[in-house]
Amino acid sequence: METRQVKINTEYIKLEALLKYEGLAETGGDAKERIQAGEVTVNGETCTMRGKKLRPGDRAALDGVELEVV
């Protein structure tokens, strides 16, 4: 599994925005569908909330790519 670190300058980033920012979803609609289909994990557990707030230390994974928020 590939791991990427994503540096944010705010308190949090929403899951949907993180997937779009890192290119794992082409559009917000694509991100929404993949999240609601249960394809995304956050901190090792399936997450179906596209507005999930990720803070530094959280990890999200999709398609063999793990994103670590720093």
Side-chain angles (χ1 to χ4, degrees):
M1 179 175 285
E2 174 188 354
T3 301
R4 300 181 197 168
Q5 289 190 336
V6 182
K7 182 171 175 43
I8 61 172
N9 297 316
T10 56
E11 180 183 347
Y12 64 85
I13 185 170
K14 291 186 178 181
L15 178 57
E16 177 181 33
L18 178 67
L19 297 179
K20 288 192 316 185
Y21 179 74
E22 282 298 306
L24 297 179
E26 292 183 20
T27 65
D30 182 35
K32 174 184 173 181
E33 287 178 14
R34 300 198 69 189
I35 292 166
Q36 289 181 340
E39 298 179 31
V40 180
T41 61
V42 173
N43 297 326
E45 296 182 15
T46 300
C47 180
T48 58
M49 299 181 297
R50 69 179 186 178
K52 174 79 173 162
K53 295 177 182 176
L54 301 176
R55 293 177 167 81
D58 286 334
R59 294 174 177 261
L62 174 65
D63 292 342
V65 177
E66 183 176 63
L67 305 172
E68 178 185 6
V69 181
V70 294

